[in-house]
Amino acid sequence: FSAGDEPDGSGKFIANILQNPKIKESMKQFLDNDGLVLGICNGFQALIKSGLLPYGDVDSVNSNSPTLFRNNINRHISRVVSTKIVSNNSPWMSSFIVGETHNIPVSHGEGKFVVTKEFAEELFNNGQVITQYCDEDGNVTMDKEYNLNGSTYAIEGIVSKCGKILGKMGHSERYEDGLLKNIAGNKMQDLFSNGVNYFKK
């Protein structure tokens, strides 16, 4: 939470670091060598602000690029939300079935995914939108009771075209057996085993 998590704080800070020529080159080599990148919450902000998402490189951000903005209610949100898998076009998503839902903790003040209609269509057509906010019945929705931050097209997570870079707002890492016992539904979204298994093949 750099700079007290002021607007764009962590995203701006990490994106700035990624602009360092040595780090930028290292990141390119890492991806060229089949590396995987995952950014959750502030990490997602950094990937978006740097251009690694949705473009796959650091130098592509422009005025039409998607961004993450303040939640519609203009304050921090900390709750469990339902998300729906709409694409498994990524090593991180390899064990998931399109249509399945997960109940995931969120905790952020700037998690509203903002994108133009044209760019959203491109992301959907490329299979880059991986998860969307949904209701208890698995219906994708803009209803503020479920899409808490007001994300455009209810988008919760996206990947790069190659699928090796993934960013999402929901904290998949915050669940393990014995937690959230009073929350119904599927709470285990094990992206991490998928990442490990990708390299074990």
Side-chain angles (χ1 to χ4, degrees):
F1 289 94
S2 65
D5 205 29
E6 54 90 14
D8 294 341
S10 296
K12 283 188 303 193
F13 180 70
I14 301 169
N16 211 25
I17 290 171
L18 290 169
Q19 283 294 334
N20 178 288
K22 291 182 180 179
I23 295 175
K24 188 189 302 186
E25 181 57 29
S26 293
M27 181 63 75
K28 183 179 184 310
Q29 289 177 9
F30 179 75
L31 290 168
D32 287 346
N33 289 330
D34 209 27
L36 298 179
V37 177
L38 174 65
I40 293 176
C41 197
N42 282 338
F44 187 19
Q45 292 174 355
L47 294 175
I48 288 284
K49 302 295 182 186
S50 71
L52 283 169
L53 281 177
Y55 305 104
D57 69 73
V58 176
D59 291 319
S60 298
V61 176
N62 58 66
S63 59
N64 293 320
S65 297
T67 192
L68 288 162
F69 195 65
R70 289 189 301 274
N71 302 336
N72 278 359
I73 63 171
N74 205 28
R75 63 177 171 79
H76 190 93
I77 293 170
S78 184
R79 264 185 48 192
V80 173
V81 296
S82 295
T83 63
K84 183 176 186 175
I85 306 293
V86 294
S87 171
N88 53 12
N89 183 30
S90 169
W92 294 109
M93 306 295 289
S94 60
S95 71
F96 304 130
I97 299 167
V98 171
E100 74 178 281
T101 61
H102 299 95
N103 290 340
I104 308 292
V106 294
S107 182
H108 56 255
E110 297 180 33
K112 178 180 179 177
F113 188 84
V114 179
V115 63
T116 64
K117 179 184 178 189
E118 295 74 22
F119 209 123
E121 287 176 355
E122 183 180 333
L123 292 175
F124 280 107
N125 289 338
N126 291 339
Q128 289 182 257
V129 176
I130 52 157
T131 48
Q132 290 176 278
Y133 298 103
C134 66
D135 62 20
E136 295 101 330
D137 297 318
N139 301 307
V140 171
T141 181
M142 290 298 295
D143 188 324
K144 65 183 180 181
E145 290 301 311
Y146 306 99
N147 181 356
L148 299 180
N149 50 40
S151 288
T152 317
Y153 302 101
I155 295 171
E156 187 259 340
I158 65 170
V159 293
S160 57
K161 278 187 181 179
C162 66
K164 292 190 280 187
I165 306 170
L166 183 150
K168 65 193 302 293
M169 288 310 299
H171 286 276
S172 307
E173 83 284 4
R174 289 192 180 180
Y175 178 77
E176 62 180 53
D177 288 340
L179 295 179
L180 303 176
K181 288 186 176 184
N182 60 331
I183 304 292
N186 181 11
K187 294 161 283 190
M188 174 61 81
Q189 190 178 70
D190 198 356
L191 305 169
F192 314 102
S193 289
N194 289 339
V196 170
N197 289 337
Y198 177 70
F199 295 107
K200 284 185 170 181
K201 289 179 185 175

